[in-house]
Amino acid sequence: MKKPVKVAVTGAAGQIGYALLFRIAAGDMLGPDQPVDLHLLEITPALGALEGVTMELNDCAFPLLNKIVQTDDPNVAFKDCDYALLVGAMPRKQGMERKDLLSANGGIFGPQGKAINDHASRDVKVLVVGNPANTNALIAQQNAPDLDPKCFTAMVRLDHNRAMSQLAEKTGAHNTDIKNVIIWGNHSATQYPDIHHATVKGKDAKPQVDDAWYTDTFIPDVQQRGAAIIKARGASSAASAASAAIDHMRSWALGTPEGEWVSMGIPSEGSYGIEPGVIYGYPCTCKDGKYEIVQGLEINEFSRGKMDATDAELREERAAVEHLFS
Ligand SMILES: NC(=O)c1ccc[n+]([C@@H]2O[C@H](COP(=O)([O-])OP(=O)(O)OC[C@H]3O[C@@H](n4cnc5c(N)ncnc54)[C@H](O)[C@@H]3O)[C@@H](O)[C@H]2O)c1
Ligand SMILES: O=C(O)C[C@H](O)C(=O)O
């Protein structure tokens, strides 16, 4: 049996936390031979609820669950952690955009970034889920000057999975027949779900759907799927968000299959003409615990416009939170 790794999860008593922790403990994220210590962070008033979640985790008698730490102190939660899933943040309500949460949530991620900087493993893998995820990831990263900036990522995998599912439904294929969709940019209504490089059953996807469906149905539906869930459920997505977080971390830790990529929000170094520094959704392959951007994809004029629009929004969000950088 391998040595246990430490996985920190914030907002552990929340909706997503409840759908996430049991799957991590069951081995869905890091594999069936990897024991885990769970470090669960909550705000002080939620520690009672967190105790209840911990009781349930214990009651599952998971073979891979080695130890649980419950705390309201980020310095304890992130101590020596190898993985950190930053979920704890307020969700939006109907009628809001995710960036409307910046003033409520932005302040959470500076102190957490600093605690990660001071206490986590030097090659910690951080995934920010709390919205607006890309810019919150940037705030955390900017408060962790001693760590490689590439340790900090944001979740666009839910959008990626939504795009796969919608393309599968349209083409009468199964999700497993869909490869290499891309979510470029922000986890927001400006994200660009791109199928120009995707395949369905090994054949180019784009010629298999009509242009009007792509531009007038597929793109807006993927962009607005979060809002549609809030409208239908009366609460933002939780189980699908947790599942995407598991997928993101599993790909990063265990790798992507040969010839396939996934979408990850990662720090731009200028690839594809994107503003350096912003946390931008890119197609990535993963190997040996590292991710790399898929380079050299042809970008047509339509895609260029959409990629630049979501870049512009991320630059605006960055300008609004620069005072939270250390
Ligand atoms: N990136 C994505 O694709 C995606 C998808 C779904 C939801 N989200 C976002 O994830 C976040 C969480 O959603 P949820 O439905 O679980 O919300 P929730 O309100 O059910 O749970 C949030 C939890 O975070 C806790 N929390 C608040 N501040 C904290 C802090 N400083 N430290 C630790 N814990 C803290 C709260 O006490 C609460 O238990 C929201 O911001 C939501 O918008 C992102
Ligand atoms: O839409 C939201 O606010 C929640 C989440 O970001 C989602 O995409 O489902």
Side-chain angles (χ1 to χ4, degrees):
M1 204 48 133
K2 291 179 179 169
K3 191 168 158 268
V5 293
K6 298 187 193 310
V7 180
V9 179
T10 75
Q15 280 206 95
I16 296 176
Y18 197 67
L20 179 63
L21 297 173
F22 298 84
R23 291 195 54 196
I24 298 174
D28 289 357
M29 188 170 93
L30 298 173
D33 59 347
Q34 179 58 68
V36 292
D37 290 354
L38 286 177
H39 288 201
L40 308 181
L41 181 69
E42 259 298 348
I43 53 171
T44 314
L47 287 177
L50 185 60
E51 172 62 18
V53 175
T54 301
M55 288 161 70
E56 284 203 71
L57 280 164
N58 285 329
D59 290 351
C60 293
F62 286 118
L64 292 171
L65 183 51
N66 185 57
K67 181 177 166 189
I68 302 177
V69 174
Q70 304 175 60
T71 181
D72 57 1
D73 181 351
N75 297 316
V76 174
F78 297 123
K79 178 89 183 113
D80 297 329
C81 73
D82 304 288
Y83 300 87
L85 294 93
L86 309 191
V87 178
M90 192 190 284
R92 68 174 164 154
K93 306 264 176 342
Q94 210 172 328
M96 292 170 77
E97 289 299 330
R98 296 181 188 88
K99 64 183 162 202
D100 298 335
L101 292 167
L102 257 188
S103 54
N105 288 344
I108 295 173
F109 292 87
Q112 290 187 359
K114 185 173 184 327
I116 291 169
N117 184 67
D118 294 349
H119 298 288
S121 151
R122 294 303 83 182
D123 54 320
V124 60
K125 293 179 170 52
V126 181
L127 169 63
V128 176
V129 174
N131 276 320
N134 300 53
T135 298
N136 287 338
L138 180 64
I139 296 169
Q141 180 212 57
Q142 291 297 311
N143 283 273
D146 302 336
L147 292 174
D148 183 342
K150 290 183 80 174
C151 293
F152 289 83
T153 68
M155 191 162 95
V156 294
R157 187 64 172 266
L158 178 54
D159 312 287
H160 181 101
N161 290 346
R162 288 167 172 165
M164 285 175 71
S165 155
Q166 297 204 13
L167 185 57
E169 191 181 336
K170 176 70 180 174
T171 55
H174 187 261
N175 295 325
T176 50
D177 298 323
I178 311 290
K179 311 275 187 235
N180 296 347
V181 299
I182 305 171
I183 303 298
W184 299 100
N186 202 0
H187 174 61
S188 77
T190 67
Q191 67 178 266
Y192 172 42
D194 182 0
I195 64 165
H196 286 89
H197 310 279
T199 58
V200 181
K201 295 190 180 163
K203 297 207 169 70
D204 287 347
K206 192 75 190 6
Q208 300 187 49
V209 298
D210 55 276
D211 283 350
W213 176 80
Y214 178 53
T215 56
D216 302 341
T217 301
F218 174 81
I219 292 176
D221 281 3
V222 175
Q223 289 172 328
Q224 295 295 339
R225 184 69 165 185
I229 304 272
I230 293 171
K231 188 157 179 250
R233 224 171 75 83
S236 68
S237 63
S240 57
S243 196
I246 297 267
D247 289 347
H248 177 113
M249 283 305 211
R250 191 185 51 234
S251 296
W252 191 357
L254 304 183
T256 46
E258 194 61 38
E260 289 181 35
W261 62 65
V262 294
S263 303
M264 298 173 71
I266 61 169
S268 166
E269 290 165 342
S271 289
Y272 291 99
I274 300 307
E275 171 74 5
V278 297
I279 308 285
Y280 193 90
Y282 278 108
C284 293
T285 54
C286 304
K287 199 175 172 198
D288 301 330
K290 306 239 176 295
Y291 60 79
E292 263 183 37
I293 297 173
V294 177
Q295 299 288 357
L297 298 174
E298 201 179 307
I299 304 299
N300 66 18
E301 208 181 315
F302 177 84
S303 296
R304 185 75 260 161
K306 300 255 178 236
M307 289 164 67
D308 289 347
T310 190
D311 178 11
E313 183 183 48
L314 282 167
R315 279 184 276 129
E316 271 170 34
E317 288 185 18
R318 179 176 65 183
V321 299
E322 263 162 6
H323 62 286
L324 297 173
F325 297 173
S326 69

Coordinates of all heavy atoms in Angstrom, one line a residue, residues 5-10 20 24 29-30 34 37 39 77-87 112-113 116-117 119-129 137 140-141 144 147-155 245-256 264-267 285-292:
V5 N -1.5 10.3 1.2 CA -1.3 11.8 0.8 C -2.3 12.6 1.5 O -3.4 12.1 1.9 CB -1.4 12.0 -0.7 CG1 -0.2 11.3 -1.4 CG2 -2.7 11.5 -1.3
K6 N -2.0 13.9 1.7 CA -2.9 14.8 2.4 C -3.7 15.6 1.4 O -3.1 16.3 0.5 CB -2.1 15.7 3.3 CG -1.3 14.9 4.4 CD -0.7 15.9 5.4 CE 0.3 15.2 6.3 NZ -0.2 14.0 6.9
V7 N -5.0 15.6 1.5 CA -5.9 16.3 0.6 C -6.7 17.3 1.4 O -7.5 16.9 2.3 CB -6.9 15.3 -0.1 CG1 -7.8 16.1 -1.0 CG2 -6.1 14.2 -0.9
A8 N -6.5 18.6 1.2 CA -7.3 19.6 1.9 C -8.5 20.0 1.1 O -8.4 20.1 -0.2 CB -6.4 20.8 2.1
V9 N -9.6 20.1 1.7 CA -10.9 20.5 1.0 C -11.5 21.6 1.9 O -11.8 21.4 3.1 CB -11.9 19.4 0.9 CG1 -13.2 19.8 0.2 CG2 -11.3 18.2 0.1
T10 N -11.7 22.8 1.3 CA -12.4 23.9 2.0 C -13.9 23.9 1.7 O -14.3 23.4 0.6 CB -11.8 25.2 1.6 OG1 -12.2 25.6 0.3 CG2 -10.2 25.2 1.6
L20 N -18.4 15.5 -2.7 CA -17.0 15.4 -3.1 C -16.2 14.4 -2.2 O -15.5 13.6 -2.7 CB -16.3 16.8 -3.1 CG -14.9 17.0 -3.4 CD1 -14.6 16.5 -4.9 CD2 -14.5 18.4 -3.3
I24 N -13.7 11.2 -3.0 CA -12.2 11.2 -2.7 C -11.8 10.0 -1.8 O -10.9 9.3 -2.1 CB -11.8 12.5 -2.1 CG1 -12.1 13.7 -3.0 CG2 -10.3 12.5 -1.8 CD1 -11.8 15.1 -2.4
M29 N -10.6 9.8 -7.0 CA -9.7 10.9 -7.5 C -8.3 10.5 -7.7 O -7.7 10.8 -8.7 CB -9.8 12.1 -6.4 CG -9.1 13.3 -6.9 SD -9.4 14.7 -5.8 CE -8.0 14.6 -4.7
L30 N -7.7 9.7 -6.8 CA -6.3 9.4 -6.9 C -6.0 7.9 -7.1 O -4.8 7.5 -7.1 CB -5.6 9.9 -5.6 CG -5.7 11.4 -5.4 CD1 -5.2 11.9 -4.0 CD2 -5.0 12.2 -6.5
Q34 N -4.4 4.4 -3.4 CA -3.8 5.6 -2.8 C -4.6 6.0 -1.5 O -5.6 6.7 -1.6 CB -3.8 6.8 -3.8 CG -3.2 8.0 -3.2 CD -1.8 7.9 -2.7 OE1 -0.8 7.7 -3.5 NE2 -1.6 7.9 -1.4
D37 N -5.3 11.2 3.7 CA -5.7 12.0 4.9 C -6.6 13.1 4.4 O -6.1 13.9 3.5 CB -4.5 12.5 5.6 CG -3.6 11.5 6.3 OD1 -4.0 10.3 6.3 OD2 -2.6 11.9 6.8
H39 N -8.1 16.7 5.1 CA -8.0 17.9 5.9 C -9.1 18.8 5.6 O -9.2 19.4 4.5 CB -6.7 18.7 5.7 CG -5.5 18.0 6.2 ND1 -4.3 18.6 6.4 CD2 -5.2 16.7 6.5 CE1 -3.4 17.8 6.9 NE2 -3.9 16.6 6.9
A77 N -5.3 23.4 8.1 CA -5.9 22.6 7.0 C -4.8 22.4 5.9 O -4.8 21.3 5.3 CB -7.0 23.4 6.4
F78 N -4.0 23.4 5.6 CA -3.0 23.2 4.5 C -1.7 22.7 4.9 O -0.8 22.5 4.0 CB -2.9 24.6 3.7 CG -4.2 25.1 3.1 CD1 -4.7 26.3 3.5 CD2 -4.9 24.3 2.2 CE1 -5.9 26.7 2.9 CE2 -6.1 24.7 1.7 CZ -6.6 25.9 2.0
K79 N -1.5 22.3 6.2 CA -0.2 21.8 6.6 C 0.2 20.6 5.8 O -0.5 19.5 5.8 CB -0.4 21.5 8.1 CG 0.9 20.9 8.8 CD 1.8 22.0 9.3 CE 3.0 21.5 9.9 NZ 4.2 21.8 9.2
D80 N 1.3 20.7 5.1 CA 1.9 19.6 4.3 C 1.0 19.0 3.3 O 1.2 17.8 2.9 CB 2.4 18.5 5.3 CG 3.5 18.9 6.2 OD1 4.2 19.8 5.8 OD2 3.5 18.4 7.4
C81 N -0.1 19.7 2.9 CA -1.0 19.1 2.0 C -0.4 19.0 0.6 O 0.3 19.8 0.1 CB -2.4 19.8 2.0 SG -2.4 21.3 1.2
D82 N -0.8 17.9 -0.1 CA -0.3 17.5 -1.4 C -1.3 18.0 -2.5 O -1.0 18.3 -3.6 CB -0.1 16.0 -1.6 CG 0.8 15.5 -0.5 OD1 2.0 15.7 -0.7 OD2 0.3 14.8 0.4
Y83 N -2.6 18.1 -2.1 CA -3.7 18.5 -2.9 C -4.5 19.4 -2.1 O -4.8 19.2 -0.9 CB -4.5 17.3 -3.4 CG -3.7 16.3 -4.2 CD1 -3.1 15.2 -3.5 CD2 -3.7 16.3 -5.5 CE1 -2.3 14.3 -4.2 CE2 -2.9 15.4 -6.2 CZ -2.2 14.4 -5.6 OH -1.5 13.5 -6.3
A84 N -5.0 20.5 -2.8 CA -6.0 21.4 -2.1 C -7.1 21.8 -3.0 O -6.9 22.3 -4.1 CB -5.2 22.7 -1.7
L85 N -8.3 21.5 -2.6 CA -9.5 21.8 -3.4 C -10.2 22.9 -2.7 O -10.8 22.7 -1.6 CB -10.4 20.6 -3.5 CG -9.8 19.4 -4.4 CD1 -9.1 18.4 -3.5 CD2 -10.8 18.7 -5.2
L86 N -10.1 24.1 -3.3 CA -10.7 25.3 -2.6 C -12.1 25.5 -3.1 O -12.3 26.1 -4.2 CB -9.8 26.5 -2.9 CG -8.3 26.4 -2.6 CD1 -7.6 27.8 -2.7 CD2 -8.0 25.8 -1.3
V87 N -13.0 25.0 -2.4 CA -14.5 25.0 -2.7 C -15.2 26.0 -1.9 O -16.2 26.6 -2.4 CB -15.1 23.6 -2.5 CG1 -16.5 23.5 -2.8 CG2 -14.3 22.5 -3.3
Q112 N -6.0 32.2 2.2 CA -5.8 30.8 2.0 C -4.6 30.6 1.1 O -3.8 29.6 1.3 CB -7.1 30.2 1.3 CG -8.2 30.1 2.3 CD -9.4 29.4 1.8 OE1 -9.5 28.9 0.7 NE2 -10.5 29.2 2.7
G113 N -4.4 31.5 0.1 CA -3.1 31.4 -0.7 C -1.9 31.5 0.2 O -0.9 30.8 0.0
I116 N -1.4 28.4 2.2 CA -0.8 27.3 1.3 C 0.7 27.6 1.1 O 1.5 26.7 1.2 CB -1.6 27.3 0.0 CG1 -3.0 26.8 0.2 CG2 -0.9 26.5 -1.1 CD1 -4.0 27.0 -1.0
N117 N 1.0 28.9 0.8 CA 2.4 29.3 0.6 C 3.2 28.9 1.8 O 4.4 28.3 1.7 CB 2.4 30.8 0.5 CG 3.8 31.3 0.2 OD1 4.4 31.0 -0.9 ND2 4.4 32.0 1.1
H119 N 2.5 26.6 4.3 CA 2.4 25.3 5.0 C 2.3 24.1 4.1 O 2.6 23.0 4.5 CB 1.2 25.3 5.9 CG 1.3 26.3 7.0 ND1 2.1 26.2 8.1 CD2 0.7 27.5 7.2 CE1 2.0 27.2 8.9 NE2 1.1 28.1 8.3
A120 N 1.9 24.3 2.8 CA 1.7 23.2 1.9 C 3.0 22.6 1.4 O 4.0 23.2 1.5 CB 0.8 23.6 0.8
S121 N 2.8 21.3 0.9 CA 3.9 20.7 0.1 C 4.4 21.7 -1.0 O 3.6 22.4 -1.5 CB 3.4 19.4 -0.5 OG 4.1 19.1 -1.7
R122 N 5.7 21.6 -1.3 CA 6.2 22.6 -2.3 C 5.7 22.3 -3.7 O 5.8 23.1 -4.6 CB 7.7 22.6 -2.3 CG 8.4 23.2 -1.0 CD 7.9 24.6 -0.7 NE 6.6 24.7 0.0 CZ 6.1 25.8 0.4 NH1 6.6 27.0 0.1 NH2 4.9 25.8 1.0
D123 N 5.2 21.1 -4.0 CA 4.5 20.9 -5.3 C 3.0 20.5 -5.1 O 2.5 19.7 -5.8 CB 5.3 19.9 -6.2 CG 5.5 18.6 -5.5 OD1 5.8 18.6 -4.3 OD2 5.4 17.6 -6.2
V124 N 2.4 21.3 -4.2 CA 1.0 21.1 -4.0 C 0.2 21.4 -5.3 O 0.6 22.2 -6.1 CB 0.5 22.1 -2.9 CG1 0.7 23.5 -3.2 CG2 -1.0 21.8 -2.5
K125 N -0.8 20.6 -5.5 CA -1.7 20.8 -6.6 C -3.0 21.5 -6.1 O -3.7 20.9 -5.3 CB -2.1 19.5 -7.3 CG -0.9 18.9 -8.0 CD -1.3 17.5 -8.6 CE -0.2 17.0 -9.5 NZ 1.2 16.9 -8.9
V126 N -3.2 22.7 -6.5 CA -4.4 23.5 -6.0 C -5.4 23.6 -7.1 O -5.1 24.0 -8.2 CB -4.0 24.9 -5.6 CG1 -5.2 25.7 -5.0 CG2 -2.8 24.8 -4.5
L127 N -6.7 23.3 -6.8 CA -7.8 23.5 -7.7 C -8.8 24.4 -7.0 O -9.3 24.1 -6.0 CB -8.5 22.2 -8.0 CG -9.8 22.3 -8.7 CD1 -9.7 22.9 -10.1 CD2 -10.6 21.0 -8.8
V128 N -9.0 25.6 -7.7 CA -10.1 26.5 -7.2 C -11.4 26.2 -7.9 O -11.5 26.2 -9.1 CB -9.6 27.9 -7.3 CG1 -10.8 28.9 -6.9 CG2 -8.4 28.2 -6.5
V129 N -12.4 25.9 -7.0 CA -13.8 25.7 -7.5 C -14.7 26.9 -7.2 O -15.6 27.3 -8.0 CB -14.3 24.4 -6.9 CG1 -15.8 24.2 -7.3 CG2 -13.5 23.2 -7.3
A137 N -8.5 31.9 -8.2 CA -7.3 31.1 -8.3 C -6.1 32.1 -8.4 O -5.0 31.9 -7.8 CB -7.3 30.2 -9.4
A140 N -5.3 33.6 -5.0 CA -4.6 32.7 -4.1 C -3.1 32.6 -4.6 O -2.2 32.7 -3.8 CB -5.3 31.3 -4.2
Q141 N -3.0 32.5 -5.9 CA -1.6 32.3 -6.4 C -0.8 33.6 -6.1 O 0.4 33.4 -5.8 CB -1.7 32.2 -8.0 CG -0.4 32.0 -8.7 CD -0.5 32.6 -10.1 OE1 -0.8 33.8 -10.2 NE2 -0.2 31.8 -11.1
A144 N 0.9 33.6 -2.8 CA 1.8 32.4 -2.6 C 3.1 32.6 -3.4 O 3.4 31.8 -4.3 CB 1.1 31.2 -2.9
L147 N 5.7 29.6 -4.1 CA 5.4 28.4 -4.8 C 5.4 28.7 -6.3 O 5.3 29.9 -6.8 CB 4.0 28.0 -4.4 CG 3.8 27.5 -3.0 CD1 2.3 27.2 -2.7 CD2 4.6 26.2 -2.8
D148 N 5.6 27.7 -7.1 CA 5.5 27.8 -8.5 C 4.1 28.2 -8.9 O 3.1 27.6 -8.4 CB 5.8 26.4 -9.1 CG 5.8 26.4 -10.7 OD1 5.3 27.3 -11.3 OD2 6.3 25.4 -11.2
P149 N 4.0 29.3 -9.7 CA 2.6 29.8 -10.0 C 1.8 28.7 -10.7 O 0.5 28.7 -10.6 CB 2.9 30.9 -11.0 CG 4.3 31.3 -10.9 CD 5.0 30.1 -10.3
K150 N 2.4 27.7 -11.3 CA 1.7 26.6 -12.0 C 1.0 25.7 -11.0 O 0.2 24.8 -11.4 CB 2.6 25.8 -12.9 CG 3.1 26.6 -14.1 CD 3.9 25.8 -15.0 CE 3.1 24.8 -15.9 NZ 3.9 24.1 -16.9
C151 N 1.3 25.8 -9.7 CA 0.6 25.0 -8.7 C -0.9 25.4 -8.6 O -1.7 24.6 -8.1 CB 1.2 25.2 -7.3 SG 2.8 24.6 -7.1
F152 N -1.3 26.5 -9.1 CA -2.7 27.1 -8.9 C -3.5 26.9 -10.2 O -3.1 27.5 -11.3 CB -2.6 28.5 -8.5 CG -2.1 28.6 -7.1 CD1 -0.7 28.6 -6.8 CD2 -2.9 28.7 -6.0 CE1 -0.2 28.7 -5.5 CE2 -2.5 28.8 -4.7 CZ -1.1 28.8 -4.5
T153 N -4.6 26.2 -10.1 CA -5.4 26.0 -11.3 C -6.9 26.3 -10.9 O -7.3 26.3 -9.7 CB -5.3 24.6 -11.8 OG1 -5.9 23.7 -10.8 CG2 -3.9 24.1 -12.1
A154 N -7.7 26.5 -11.9 CA -9.1 26.8 -11.7 C -9.9 25.8 -12.5 O -9.5 25.2 -13.5 CB -9.5 28.2 -12.2
M155 N -11.2 25.5 -12.1 CA -12.0 24.5 -12.7 C -12.8 25.0 -13.9 O -13.7 25.8 -13.7 CB -12.9 23.9 -11.7 CG -13.6 22.6 -12.2 SD -14.2 21.6 -10.9 CE -15.9 22.1 -10.8
A245 N -14.5 18.2 -10.4 CA -13.3 18.4 -9.6 C -12.5 17.1 -9.4 O -11.2 17.2 -9.5 CB -13.7 19.0 -8.2
I246 N -13.2 16.0 -9.2 CA -12.5 14.7 -9.2 C -11.8 14.5 -10.5 O -10.6 14.1 -10.6 CB -13.6 13.6 -8.9 CG1 -14.2 13.8 -7.6 CG2 -13.0 12.2 -9.2 CD1 -13.7 13.1 -6.4
D247 N -12.5 14.7 -11.6 CA -11.9 14.5 -13.0 C -10.6 15.4 -13.1 O -9.6 14.9 -13.7 CB -12.9 14.9 -14.1 CG -14.0 13.9 -14.2 OD1 -14.0 12.8 -13.6 OD2 -15.0 14.3 -14.9
H248 N -10.7 16.7 -12.8 CA -9.6 17.6 -13.0 C -8.4 17.1 -12.2 O -7.3 17.0 -12.8 CB -10.0 19.0 -12.4 CG -9.0 20.0 -12.5 ND1 -9.0 21.1 -13.3 CD2 -7.8 20.2 -11.8 CE1 -8.0 21.9 -13.1 NE2 -7.2 21.4 -12.2
M249 N -8.6 16.8 -10.9 CA -7.4 16.3 -10.1 C -6.9 15.0 -10.6 O -5.7 14.7 -10.6 CB -7.9 16.3 -8.6 CG -7.9 17.6 -7.9 SD -6.4 18.6 -8.1 CE -6.4 19.5 -6.6
R250 N -7.8 14.1 -11.0 CA -7.3 12.7 -11.4 C -6.5 12.9 -12.7 O -5.4 12.3 -12.8 CB -8.5 11.8 -11.6 CG -8.1 10.4 -11.9 CD -9.3 9.4 -12.2 NE -10.0 10.0 -13.3 CZ -11.4 10.2 -13.3 NH1 -12.1 9.9 -12.2 NH2 -12.0 10.7 -14.3
S251 N -7.0 13.7 -13.6 CA -6.2 13.9 -14.8 C -4.8 14.5 -14.5 O -3.8 14.0 -15.0 CB -6.9 14.9 -15.8 OG -8.1 14.3 -16.2
W252 N -4.8 15.5 -13.6 CA -3.5 16.2 -13.3 C -2.6 15.2 -12.6 O -1.4 15.1 -12.9 CB -3.9 17.3 -12.4 CG -2.8 18.3 -12.1 CD1 -1.4 18.3 -12.5 CD2 -2.9 19.5 -11.3 NE1 -0.8 19.4 -12.0 CE2 -1.6 20.1 -11.3 CE3 -3.9 20.1 -10.6 CZ2 -1.4 21.4 -10.6 CZ3 -3.7 21.3 -10.0 CH2 -2.4 21.9 -10.0
A253 N -3.1 14.4 -11.6 CA -2.3 13.5 -10.9 C -1.9 12.2 -11.6 O -0.7 11.8 -11.6 CB -3.0 13.1 -9.6
L254 N -2.8 11.7 -12.3 CA -2.6 10.3 -12.9 C -2.4 10.4 -14.4 O -2.0 9.4 -15.0 CB -3.8 9.4 -12.6 CG -4.1 9.2 -11.1 CD1 -5.2 8.3 -10.9 CD2 -2.8 8.8 -10.3
G255 N -2.6 11.5 -15.1 CA -2.3 11.7 -16.5 C -3.5 11.6 -17.4 O -4.6 11.1 -17.0
T256 N -3.3 12.1 -18.6 CA -4.4 12.0 -19.7 C -4.0 10.9 -20.7 O -2.8 10.6 -20.9 CB -4.5 13.3 -20.4 OG1 -3.2 13.8 -20.8 CG2 -5.2 14.4 -19.6
M264 N -8.2 22.8 -18.6 CA -7.9 23.3 -17.3 C -7.7 24.8 -17.2 O -7.1 25.3 -18.2 CB -6.6 22.6 -16.8 CG -6.6 21.1 -16.7 SD -5.0 20.3 -16.4 CE -4.7 20.7 -14.7
G265 N -8.1 25.4 -16.2 CA -7.8 26.8 -16.0 C -6.5 27.0 -15.4 O -6.2 26.5 -14.3
I266 N -5.5 27.5 -16.2 CA -4.1 27.5 -15.7 C -3.5 28.9 -16.0 O -4.0 29.7 -16.8 CB -3.3 26.4 -16.4 CG1 -3.3 26.7 -17.9 CG2 -3.8 25.0 -16.1 CD1 -2.3 25.8 -18.6
P267 N -2.4 29.2 -15.3 CA -1.8 30.5 -15.5 C -1.3 30.7 -17.0 O -0.5 29.9 -17.5 CB -0.6 30.6 -14.6 CG -0.8 29.5 -13.6 CD -1.6 28.4 -14.3
T285 N -2.6 18.5 -21.7 CA -2.3 17.1 -21.5 C -1.5 17.0 -20.2 O -0.8 17.9 -19.8 CB -1.4 16.5 -22.6 OG1 -0.2 17.3 -22.8 CG2 -2.2 16.4 -23.9
C286 N -1.6 15.9 -19.5 CA -1.0 15.7 -18.2 C -0.2 14.4 -18.2 O -0.6 13.4 -18.7 CB -2.0 15.6 -17.0 SG -3.2 17.0 -17.0
K287 N 1.0 14.5 -17.5 CA 1.9 13.3 -17.4 C 2.8 13.5 -16.2 O 3.3 14.6 -16.0 CB 2.7 13.2 -18.7 CG 3.3 11.9 -18.9 CD 4.1 11.8 -20.2 CE 4.8 10.5 -20.2 NZ 5.9 10.4 -21.2
D288 N 3.0 12.5 -15.4 CA 3.9 12.5 -14.3 C 3.5 13.7 -13.3 O 4.5 14.3 -12.8 CB 5.4 12.6 -14.7 CG 5.8 11.5 -15.6 OD1 5.2 10.4 -15.4 OD2 6.6 11.7 -16.5
G289 N 2.3 14.0 -13.2 CA 1.9 15.0 -12.2 C 2.1 16.4 -12.7 O 2.0 17.4 -12.0
K290 N 2.3 16.6 -14.0 CA 2.5 17.9 -14.6 C 1.5 18.1 -15.8 O 1.3 17.2 -16.5 CB 3.9 18.1 -15.1 CG 5.0 17.8 -14.1 CD 5.9 19.0 -13.9 CE 7.0 18.8 -12.8 NZ 6.5 18.6 -11.5
Y291 N 1.1 19.3 -16.0 CA 0.3 19.6 -17.1 C 1.0 20.5 -18.2 O 1.9 21.2 -17.8 CB -1.0 20.3 -16.7 CG -0.9 21.6 -16.0 CD1 -0.6 22.8 -16.7 CD2 -1.0 21.7 -14.6 CE1 -0.4 24.0 -16.1 CE2 -0.9 22.9 -14.0 CZ -0.6 24.1 -14.7 OH -0.4 25.3 -14.0
E292 N 0.6 20.3 -19.4 CA 1.2 21.1 -20.5 C 0.1 21.6 -21.4 O -0.8 20.8 -21.7 CB 2.2 20.3 -21.3 CG 3.6 20.4 -20.9 CD 4.5 19.6 -21.8 OE1 4.3 19.6 -23.0 OE2 5.5 19.1 -21.2

